[in-house]
Amino acid sequence: PRNNFIEENENNNWTAVPFTLTQQVPGGGPFASITASGATTTCAGTPLTLTAAFGTSYAWSNGATTRTITPTTSGSYTCTISGNCGTDAATTSVTFLNAATPVGTGAQIPGPGQATLQATGGNVHWYDAASGGGEVGTGNQFTTPLISGTTTYWAENQVVQPGLSGIVGKTNNSGGGGYGTFDQHLVFDSFRPCKLRSVKVYAQSAGNRTFQVLTSAGDLVAQATVNVPNGESRVTLNLDLPQASNLRLKVTATSINLYRNTSGTTFPYTISNLVSVRTSSAGDQYYYYCYDWDVAEPDLTCASARVPVVAEVANGVVVNVKAFLEGPFDTANGLMADSLRVNGLIPLSEPF
């Protein structure tokens, strides 16, 4: 390429050597996979795409033949992928949570007071606005605060899918080890966004410690400074963990003085589809500082459309019957002097 040797023909730089492959597996082995654009359990109406691994042709269980599909109903989706190495199939499941729209029943009261409204649904929430606004009650029955005029409230039905949660990491400090101040950390994967709510530690002295979540490159993701008492304790952290690999959990302080193991570890410590504590920065023999992790994924809440439910205050006056019977009358025309009516039974235009 540097023209150290001048060639007569620049277009003939190739050769062919026959070579026979003998170790390949018929069909190429498993190669199919399906990747989702987001969580496969989500609210109805949320856009979601499924993309198959690269191939030359695709056959989905719903009849599609494209590489990517956009499912709108819950169920299992299988894609059979054909490629140069053969044919393989992969399956994934999708769940769309659907909150049924409630049916509301309003109420009428004859004057200022409280009205009782009704709405169907398994998890009804009441609001003071069609969108946003403040939540004013829960349940199928809602009693309004004191109102003096007709007021509209909105009922919404919700479906809640609890997030994954659990305890992960070495349960306690059993095994060999000791207290110290070591610039080391635990390495873990977070398979989906979640929260590290608390950990157990063993301190040889009381004092502030800063717990840090770092990226694989050492960049800060989140941290919390906690006053740790002497001895064994559970410290609340509430650190938000992103979906990422090779994250670090590190403790810093002027004097860390926390217990760490030098034996008795059995990495990895895993909650499937949530978190896996894989190793330590000093290797699998060591375990640094943070035991018995309490981790949780946020609950998924899916809401229906809000429906208006009216608390009507009738135009009229609630009459004291005793005063009505004893009250003054206009003998000239037979009407009540004050032109009152009792719950609509005696119209204003009708003589008494």
Side-chain angles (χ1 to χ4, degrees), residues 7 64 79 100 111 143 189 203 214 219 238 248 256 289 296 300 308 310 318:
E7 297 180 89
C79 185
T143 299
D189 297 335
L214 308 172
D219 298 323
N238 286 326
R248 305 175 185 179
I256 297 174
Y289 309 134
L300 173 63
V310 179
V318 178

Side-chain angles (χ1 to χ4, degrees), residues 198-218:
S198 67
V199 296
K200 184 189 297 181
V201 296
Y202 300 85
Q204 198 172 30
S205 61
N208 287 345
R209 275 83 167 180
T210 299
F211 296 77
Q212 296 180 326
V213 176
L214 308 172
T215 67
S216 58

